[in-house]
Amino acid sequence: MERMRVGVGRRDTEHIPEEALQRIISTLANKNDEIQNFIDTLNQTLKGVQENSSNVLSELDEEFDSLYSILDEVKESMINSIKQEQARKSQELQNQLSQCNNALENSEELLEFATRSLDIKEPEEFSKAARQIKDRVTMASAFRLSLKPKVSDNMTHLMVDFSQERQMLRTLKFLPVPKAPEIDPVECLVADNSVTVAWRMPEEDNKIDHFILEHRKTNFDGLPRVKDERCWEIIDNIKGTEYTLSGLKFDSKYMNFRVRACNKAVAGEYSDPVTLETKALNFSLDNSSSHLNLRVEDACVEWDPTGGKGQENKMKGKENKGSVHVTSLKKHTRSGTPSPKRTSIGSRPPAVRGSRDRFTGESYTVLGDTAIESGQHYWEVKAQKDCKSYSVGVAYKTLGKFDQLGKTNSSWCIHVNNWLQNTFAAKHNNKVKALDVTVPERIGVFCDFDGGQLSFYDASSKQLLYSFKTKFTQPVLPGFMVWCGGLSLNTGMQVPSAVRTLQKTENGMTGSASSLNNVTQ
C-alpha cells in the first residue's frame, strides 16, 4: 500500500512541460472544432432531409394527381364512346322498327282488302279487285324489307381489360438513382493554377447521361465546413469522368470538390467531398509604408505627381472611419511630370502620423504586405505602356526608407528605364548587369527562399530573363519601384510547371549576383 501511495504521488507531481500542454490544448481545440463542424453538418443534413422530404411528397402528390387526371380523361372518353355507340345502334334499330311497323300496317290493310274481295260474286269486279291486290302486293314495302336487324345488341367491342395496366400500376416505384461517384485524389492534379478532378463510378451504369461537378474555396483542411463557407459553384452537363478548371486564382489554401451522376430523370447522391491543396502566395501592396508620391491599391500602384495628398486623406479616412476610400488612378503625360532627380523632398506633404518606415526621398517604393520566409513562390507584374521607369524584385524588411531597390545589399531587382534612354538591367548592392533581352509585357518573378534564388521570366513565354543566386538571411518582401506610370500585380499563382522545369537546368547557364560585383552603376 505504501508503494502504491508513493507511485500515485509521483504521478500527481509529474512535471508536464508547457509546450506539451500547449500541444494537448491544440489537439483538444482541433478535435472540438472537428466535432462542432460535424454537428453543424448533421443539423444541416437533418434540415435538408425535412425540406427534401416535403418537396418529394409534394411532387408525389402532383404526379398522382396528374395520373388521376389522365385516368379521368380516359374514362370520360370511353364513356362517351359507349354512349355514342349506344345512340347509333338505338337509332338504327328505331328506324328499322318504324319501317317494319309501317310495312305491317300496310300489309294488314291489304290482307283485309284481299279477304273481302273473296266475297265478290261478280266476275268482272272480282277480276278488277284481284288485279289491284296483285299490284299492291308487288309494290308493298313489306316485301322489300330486310327482316334482319341492321345492328346487333352486342357491345363487347367496347369492353376493357385493364389487368395489364393494373399490374403495371402495381409495379410503380421510385426512379432508379445513380450511385455516388468516387473521386480519386491520386488522379487529381493541381498545377499551373488549374485543377483537374477525376472520378469513377463504383459500378458500370449505362443509363448515366452526365455529371455535375461542384467546387468551392476554403481555408480549412479536411471535411467541408458548413458555416462561414463560400457557396458551391456548379459545373453542369459534364459528359466525361474528369474535368479541368483553368485560370484559377489560388487565394485560399484549399478547394473542396464533389460530383454527382445524373440519368435522364434524376441526379444521384454526391460523392464524398475531396479537399485539394491550392496554396499560393497572396499579397497586397503595403499602403502604410509606400512613398507618398505613389497611389496604392491592393494590387496596383501608380505614380502620383500631386505629392500624395489623396493618399494622406485616404489614410486619415481609414484611421477615422475604419474604411478606405480608393481614389481612381489617373494616367499622366510626360509634360508637367518632374524628373525623379528634381523632385523636392521639402515640397512633399509629411507622412501620415502613425505610419512606420514610409519610403521617402527618391525611393519611390512600395513593398508587399506578406513576408516570404520559406518555400518557392511566383507572382507576375505588368507595367503601363507609358511607364517611364520601374523596378521589380524583393527586399529585406530592413530596407531603409531612403533606399532604392537594387542599390543596397538588402534588395534585388530588375529595372526598366524608358526615360531619356531605354535600359533593362538587373540590380543588387548598387551593381548593375545590363540585360540583352526584350522587356516583356508581363514579368514573372520566382523566389526560392530556401534555395537562395530569385529569377525573372517573360510571363508569357517563360523565357528566363535573369537569375540571382544568394543566401537569404532574413524574410524578404516583394518590392516595387515606379515613376511616371503604374504597375499591376497578379498574385495567388502557383509556380508554373515550365518554371519548375527550367529551374532544374538553370544553374550554371545564367548570370548571378556574383556577376554584379565588379560592375558599378
Side-chain angles (χ1 to χ4, degrees):
M1 293 295 292
E2 185 65 28
R3 290 179 181 177
M4 291 178 63
R5 285 195 292 271
V6 171
V8 171
R10 287 177 180 173
R11 286 195 295 270
D12 291 341
T13 59
E14 181 182 355
H15 175 69
I16 299 178
E18 183 178 346
E19 293 181 357
L21 184 57
Q22 289 289 352
R23 288 195 296 271
I24 293 173
I25 292 173
S26 177
T27 301
L28 288 172
N30 290 337
K31 177 55 67 175
N32 290 348
D33 186 57
E34 183 180 345
I35 294 174
Q36 183 59 55
N37 179 57
F38 185 61
I39 291 173
D40 293 338
T41 301
L42 291 176
N43 286 327
Q44 185 188 51
T45 304
L46 179 60
K47 181 180 178 182
V49 167
Q50 295 169 347
E51 292 179 352
N52 293 334
S53 297
S54 177
N55 291 337
V56 295
L57 283 172
S58 176
E59 291 179 3
L60 185 66
D61 284 338
E62 291 180 2
E63 288 295 325
F64 270 94
D65 288 342
S66 176
L67 191 60
Y68 297 151
S69 177
I70 292 173
L71 289 174
D72 287 339
E73 290 177 4
V74 172
K75 179 181 178 181
E76 186 67 25
S77 176
M78 287 183 168
I79 289 175
N80 289 335
S81 296
I82 293 173
K83 288 182 176 180
Q84 289 174 5
E85 183 70 356
Q86 177 189 8
R88 183 186 71 82
K89 285 192 172 186
S90 296
Q91 187 64 43
E92 288 284 353
L93 293 173
Q94 288 289 350
N95 292 339
Q96 198 171 12
L97 184 61
S98 177
Q99 292 174 358
C100 289
N101 287 330
N102 291 334
L104 179 59
E105 182 180 349
N106 293 334
S107 180
E108 287 178 345
E109 181 185 352
L110 182 60
L111 176 60
E112 182 181 356
F113 175 69
T115 302
R116 288 197 308 270
S117 297
L118 290 175
D119 296 332
I120 298 175
K121 302 300 182 180
E122 292 292 330
E124 185 175 347
E125 289 183 7
F126 179 81
S127 177
K128 181 178 178 181
R131 285 196 300 270
Q132 289 179 353
I133 292 170
K134 180 181 178 181
D135 291 340
R136 289 180 64 182
V137 168
T138 302
M139 300 298 297
S141 59
F143 293 95
R144 297 197 301 270
L145 282 177
S146 171
L147 299 181
K148 179 181 179 181
K150 290 186 177 181
V151 295
S152 70
D153 60 354
N154 183 31
M155 298 289 283
T156 57
H157 63 290
L158 294 177
M159 293 182 67
V160 295
D161 180 7
F162 288 152
S163 58
Q164 291 184 352
E165 287 75 7
R166 282 194 295 272
Q167 184 63 31
M168 182 183 68
L169 288 173
R170 290 190 182 97
T171 61
L172 287 178
K173 57 185 178 180
F174 297 108
L175 291 170
V177 179
K179 292 188 176 181
E182 299 172 353
I183 298 179
D184 187 354
V186 177
E187 297 297 325
C188 297
L189 177 65
V190 181
D192 299 322
N193 284 79
S194 298
V195 179
T196 298
V197 184
W199 59 87
R200 59 176 176 267
M201 294 300 296
E203 60 185 46
E204 185 176 355
D205 187 347
N206 56 13
K207 293 184 179 181
I208 291 177
D209 180 68
H210 65 278
F211 296 91
I212 298 174
L213 176 66
E214 298 187 5
H215 63 92
R216 68 180 180 183
K217 297 179 179 180
T218 180
N219 286 315
F220 299 99
D221 194 4
L223 294 175
R225 302 296 178 106
V226 175
K227 294 183 177 180
D228 303 324
E229 284 285 9
R230 306 181 190 183
C231 295
W232 290 96
E233 296 186 40
I234 300 174
I235 302 172
D236 200 352
N237 201 34
I238 300 173
K239 295 298 183 180
T241 55
E242 73 171 38
Y243 189 85
T244 299
L245 292 86
S246 57
L248 299 172
K249 179 179 176 65
F250 287 165
D251 51 4
S252 63
K253 294 180 181 179
Y254 306 96
M255 288 184 69
N256 301 140
F257 295 90
R258 64 184 185 184
V259 66
R260 64 200 307 196
C262 305
N263 55 30
K264 291 290 186 180
V266 292
E269 293 281 351
Y270 285 107
S271 65
D272 289 336
V274 170
T275 301
L276 300 179
E277 187 177 24
T278 56
K279 186 169 60 177
L281 177 65
N282 284 275
F283 66 88
S284 299
L285 296 176
D286 184 6
N287 189 26
S288 66
S289 64
S290 61
H291 195 289
L292 283 176
N293 278 110
L294 299 180
R295 186 174 296 156
V296 177
E297 296 182 10
D298 287 344
C300 57
V301 54
E302 187 168 346
W303 166 259
D304 182 5
T306 64
K309 293 180 180 179
Q311 183 84 350
E312 182 179 11
N313 293 335
K314 183 196 300 184
M315 293 303 297
K316 287 182 178 179
K318 183 176 182 180
E319 291 177 352
N320 296 334
K321 301 180 181 179
S323 61
V324 179
H325 172 67
V326 179
T327 306
S328 61
L329 302 181
K330 299 179 180 179
K331 293 185 177 181
H332 303 282
T333 60
R334 182 171 180 175
S335 60
T337 303
S339 163
K341 299 293 184 181
R342 298 178 182 175
T343 303
S344 170
I345 299 177
S347 64
R348 301 189 193 97
V352 176
R353 183 175 299 175
S355 63
R356 183 170 65 88
D357 295 330
R358 181 177 289 282
F359 290 98
T360 188
E362 295 178 357
S363 179
Y364 304 111
T365 304
V366 60
L367 300 177
D369 62 0
T370 302
I372 298 173
E373 300 179 350
S374 63
Q376 297 180 343
H377 307 278
Y378 180 85
W379 61 95
E380 293 181 357
V381 183
K382 181 178 181 180
Q384 292 178 355
K385 291 184 178 180
D386 59 349
C387 191
K388 300 295 188 296
S389 178
Y390 62 93
S391 298
V392 178
V394 298
Y396 290 148
K397 293 180 179 180
T398 55
L399 184 69
K401 64 181 181 179
F402 294 102
D403 294 338
Q404 299 180 26
L405 289 179
K407 289 193 174 183
T408 67
N409 62 359
S410 61
S411 61
W412 299 258
C413 73
I414 57 174
H415 176 72
V416 178
N417 179 42
N418 296 318
W419 183 63
L420 299 181
Q421 60 180 1
N422 295 334
T423 58
F424 188 25
K427 290 185 176 184
H428 171 64
N429 201 20
N430 209 27
K431 307 295 192 305
V432 177
K433 172 68 175 180
L435 304 180
D436 188 20
V437 291
T438 303
V439 178
E441 181 180 356
R442 289 182 296 118
I443 296 174
V445 184
F446 169 75
C447 179
D448 182 358
F449 185 90
D450 302 316
Q453 185 165 336
L454 179 68
S455 302
F456 300 88
Y457 292 87
D458 181 330
S460 298
S461 67
K462 300 301 182 287
Q463 175 192 359
L464 179 65
L465 304 175
Y466 192 79
S467 185
F468 290 101
K469 299 289 186 180
T470 187
K471 181 178 181 180
F472 297 118
T473 59
Q474 53 182 291
V476 296
L477 293 165
F480 310 89
M481 184 283 293
V482 62
W483 175 72
C484 289
L487 302 175
S488 59
L489 312 182
N490 189 8
T491 65
M493 303 184 70
Q494 286 186 305
V495 178
S497 301
V499 171
R500 291 188 184 276
T501 302
L502 288 170
Q503 289 301 311
K504 297 179 181 179
T505 58
E506 183 182 334
N507 292 335
M509 298 179 62
T510 62
S512 64
S514 61
S515 65
L516 299 177
N517 290 338
N518 299 320
V519 184
T520 306
Q521 184 178 11

